[in-house]
């Protein structure tokens, strides 16, 4: 089922992220990682959303827009689980992500993986990936399709 949200400021976007994180933490008995694909233009709110999402997972560290870093691992729950933040903005092809050990990353049910610019690695995303689309409406409004 598709949900459409309109947020009026960045804290509303973060709040939706926080709620989704709580929901995902309530899922059990998964056989592989939970993968979230975030699509949408620069400035549409993907990283902002993930700041709220990480908070919802109980991660204290701030999620940043990776400029030179392609991915960052955030252990949480005393390192029993991991949140990976991947940003494909700078990559040329899926192989660069596969070379980071992506296959192993997505096979571990302890992992939650959020991928910005996921449209660039469409061919290697698992079938059960949750896709979120971000759209810029105006300076302060964003549309999020979940
Ligand atoms: P992306 O990761 O998609 O490039 P960012 O989250 O880094 O986008 O940037 C979004 C920018 O838009 C931030 O500067 C943020 O302050 C601003 N902004 C304004 N309104 C909103 C909103 N409703 N939701 C999210 N970000 C917003
Ligand atoms: Mg970003």
């Amino acid at each position: 089922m598709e949900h459409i949200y309109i947020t009026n400021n960045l804290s509303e976007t973060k709040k939706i992220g926080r709620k989704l994180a709580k929901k995902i933490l309530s899922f059990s008995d998964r056989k592989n990682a939970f993968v979230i694909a975030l699509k949408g233009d620069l400035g549409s709110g993907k990283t902002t959303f993930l700041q709220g999402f990480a908070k919802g997972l109980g991660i204290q560290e701030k999620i940043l827009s990776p400029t030179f870093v392609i991915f960052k691992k955030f252990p949480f729950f005393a390192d029993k689980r991991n949140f990976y933040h991947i940003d494909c903005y700078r990559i040329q092809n899926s192989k660069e992500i596969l070379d980071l050990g992506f296959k192993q990353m997505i096979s571990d049910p302890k992992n939650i993986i959020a991928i910005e610019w996921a449209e660039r690695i469409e061919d290697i995303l698992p079938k059960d990936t949750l896709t979120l689309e971000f759209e810029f409406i105006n300076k302060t409004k964003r549309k999020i399709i979940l």
Side-chain angles (χ1 to χ4, degrees), residues 80-97:
K80 287 248 165 39
R81 300 199 67 179
N82 303 296
F83 170 56
Y84 287 90
H85 179 199
I86 303 181
D87 195 318
C88 298
Y89 186 57
R90 280 167 200 284
I91 69 145
Q92 304 299 324
N93 54 56
S94 304
K95 189 178 175 296
E96 292 178 49
I97 296 297

Side-chain angles (χ1 to χ4, degrees), residues 1 3 30 35 50 111 113 136 142:
M1 202 170 74
H3 293 275
R30 286 191 58 85
V35 181
L50 290 179
N111 295 339
I113 305 166
F136 181 97
R142 300 291 184 274

Side-chain angles (χ1 to χ4, degrees), residues 22-89:
K22 302 259 192 246
K23 182 132 200 189
I24 290 172
L25 287 180
S26 74
F27 298 157
S28 55
D29 290 335
R30 286 191 58 85
K31 292 190 171 55
N32 49 21
F34 197 101
V35 181
I36 306 166
L38 298 94
K39 302 180 178 178
D41 289 339
L42 206 63
S44 60
K46 302 180 294 298
T47 302
T48 302
F49 179 92
L50 290 179
Q51 288 168 350
F53 185 83
K55 261 233 170 79
L57 295 179
I59 292 166
Q60 304 296 328
E61 215 176 322
K62 184 138 162 94
I63 305 295
L64 301 170
S65 254
T67 39
F68 298 104
V69 192
I70 292 174
F71 91 103
K72 192 163 161 65
K73 177 181 176 179
F74 299 85
F76 67 102
F77 283 157
D79 208 0
K80 287 248 165 39
R81 300 199 67 179
N82 303 296
F83 170 56
Y84 287 90
H85 179 199
I86 303 181
D87 195 318
C88 298
Y89 186 57

